[in-house]
Amino acid sequence: MNYKDLVDSLRRGREIEFSYNNINYSITNYEGIWYFSEEKDDLVKSQELSDFEDYDKLIKNVSKITIQEKTIKDLFDNKEYEEGTLYIL
């Protein structure tokens, strides 16, 4: 999955889960809000991205996400997430 596919999935309301360098990440919605979450050593850190229906704001905020000094766009376009850990829900 590349970044364009990620954006297309999010615009359809799909949730994304993946791992990178043994850390779990997700873009999910809960009670009408989209969140980006990082799970490491059983601790979860989440940041609010947008209201559920505000897909333009969601995509804008997703494009700003950096993971270990890499943009999420670069991480997905280069398929650097861990093989077998990508789930589209």
Side-chain angles (χ1 to χ4, degrees), residues 1-86:
M1 169 180 271
N2 62 26
Y3 183 73
K4 182 188 178 306
D5 295 334
L6 171 80
V7 167
D8 290 345
S9 292
L10 292 171
R11 285 194 183 277
R12 289 193 309 266
R14 308 290 300 271
E15 299 178 324
I16 310 294
E17 295 179 356
F18 63 96
S19 296
Y20 177 68
N21 287 343
N22 297 314
I23 299 174
N24 298 320
Y25 298 94
S26 64
I27 302 170
T28 55
N29 66 73
Y30 176 71
E31 295 186 351
I33 304 291
W34 284 100
Y35 294 92
F36 174 69
S37 301
E38 172 185 299
E39 180 183 354
K40 181 179 179 184
D41 300 327
D42 294 326
L43 297 173
V44 178
K45 298 178 195 172
S46 296
Q47 70 182 55
E48 187 175 314
L49 296 172
S50 73
D51 290 334
F52 182 75
E53 289 91 14
D54 193 346
Y55 292 108
D56 290 336
K57 184 176 180 182
L58 170 63
I59 300 310
K60 179 182 174 184
N61 287 333
V62 165
S63 73
K64 296 176 184 177
I65 293 172
T66 57
I67 298 172
Q68 301 175 31
E69 300 181 19
K70 292 183 179 269
T71 66
I72 197 165
K73 182 181 186 321
D74 287 343
L75 197 142
F76 272 78
D77 281 346
N78 296 320
K79 295 181 177 37
E80 294 182 40
Y81 47 84
E82 294 172 18
E83 188 174 338
T85 67
L86 177 64

